[in-house]
Amino acid sequence: MARIAGVNVPVKKCVPFALTYIYGIGISTANIICYTCEVDKSKRVSELQDKDIEKINNFIRQNCSVEGELRKEVAMNIKSLVEMGCYRGVRHRKGLPVRGQRTHTNAKTRKGRSRLPIAGKK
């Protein structure tokens, strides 16, 4: 496992896909990182040399907010919404979908399983 930005990324995957294991880096950001650091996108992480990994690390440290810093920022944003008492904050507090999805059916992931037992068929 190679260590980039404090995260162990898989060595058998291509560089852009391995970078997506870092929280806050998606595939488009990973492609931009590869382009600016002049790393071949078709290379595997195990084929990278130390100087390439160092270039990627430096670029991420300077230009991206990732992992703990980003998680803390997102948590603070949600906390401020909840404290304001706005609609999105209330939805977060109740554990319901925030972005306007329907809840009559679906939304089982966000709402959780039902609390009441269901009577069996006779």
Side-chain angles (χ1 to χ4, degrees), residues 75-100:
M76 291 301 294
N77 291 342
I78 292 172
K79 186 177 177 186
S80 69
L81 288 173
V82 170
E83 287 174 0
M84 275 192 279
C86 66
Y87 181 79
R88 285 172 54 203
V90 171
R91 302 295 282 186
H92 272 291
R93 191 180 312 135
K94 290 182 178 178
L96 293 169
V98 177
R99 297 185 176 179

Side-chain angles (χ1 to χ4, degrees), residues 3-44:
R3 196 154 180 86
I4 299 175
V7 177
N8 292 332
V9 295
V11 292
K12 292 186 179 180
K13 293 195 180 279
C14 291
V15 177
F17 295 105
L19 288 176
T20 60
Y21 280 69
I22 301 169
Y23 182 81
I25 296 181
I27 191 66
S28 60
T29 310
N31 285 328
I32 291 169
I33 291 169
C34 290
Y35 178 76
T36 54
C37 294
E38 298 168 353
V39 175
D40 187 18
K41 289 194 267 187
S42 61
K43 275 189 176 181
R44 308 259 177 208

